[in-house]
Amino acid sequence: MKTFILGISIFFFSFTVSAQTTLGLKPDNPFIESKAKELTKKYNEQLALRAKQYLLFQKKVEEYLYLSEEIKKNYDGKEMLDRLYILEQEEIGAMSNILTQIQWKLYKDIRPNIQPLTRVKVDK
């Protein structure tokens, strides 16, 4: 019985850990990869990421950049902004799994300066 409970616990724990580390996306886009590296470098100047955090952070930025580009391709105007805002909030939440609490609070403060939300051109 103990073995069964232990096996179930390990299964759910490994599923939870893998779900938090990646969205399962494979952007394979040189522009996005380059942009993610550039952004991670900027964040690192203020967040002082450890080596493992740096790689996880960069990968997470890359995944959300990819999703952001998909939204920009498929939507426009207010709907695009609404979706980008929701995506931004998801990304901020996802970073809490990578950063320490102090780093995460700082990340939330500096993110609007490093990665501002897209502006929409309004025709008058």
Side-chain angles (χ1 to χ4, degrees):
M1 183 67 170
K2 288 181 184 179
T3 307
F4 176 73
I5 293 173
L6 181 62
I8 296 288
S9 299
I10 290 172
F11 172 75
F12 283 113
F13 177 74
S14 64
F15 179 73
T16 302
V17 170
S18 67
Q20 292 176 352
T21 57
T22 183
L23 294 173
L25 299 173
K26 294 183 170 76
D28 197 25
N29 181 324
F31 172 76
I32 290 176
E33 290 175 22
S34 172
K35 184 73 173 167
K37 287 178 183 180
E38 176 187 323
L39 288 169
T40 302
K41 190 174 182 179
K42 285 182 183 179
Y43 280 114
N44 189 44
E45 291 171 3
Q46 296 184 51
L47 297 176
L49 301 168
R50 294 176 306 220
K52 186 175 181 180
Q53 282 180 308
Y54 192 94
L55 295 173
L56 291 171
F57 189 94
Q58 181 176 316
K59 189 66 178 165
K60 192 60 67 182
V61 168
E62 188 176 324
E63 290 172 358
Y64 280 95
L65 283 174
Y66 174 78
L67 291 172
S68 174
E69 289 301 315
E70 289 298 306
I71 290 172
K72 290 175 186 176
K73 282 183 203 172
N74 296 311
Y75 302 95
D76 59 358
K78 184 175 178 344
E79 187 174 9
M80 179 185 72
L81 280 179
D82 290 344
R83 289 176 182 268
L84 287 173
Y85 178 77
I86 291 167
L87 184 67
E88 177 184 276
Q89 297 309 304
E90 289 175 7
E91 181 178 7
I92 290 169
M95 291 303 184
S96 70
N97 293 325
I98 297 170
L99 304 172
T100 66
Q101 187 173 10
I102 294 169
Q103 288 172 321
W104 186 66
K105 286 179 181 179
L106 179 57
Y107 167 76
K108 290 190 315 183
D109 291 340
I110 64 175
R111 191 186 189 289
N113 296 326
I114 295 175
Q115 285 181 275
L117 198 60
T118 302
R119 294 178 182 235
V120 175
K121 194 187 291 187
V122 178
D123 296 329
K124 291 186 178 183

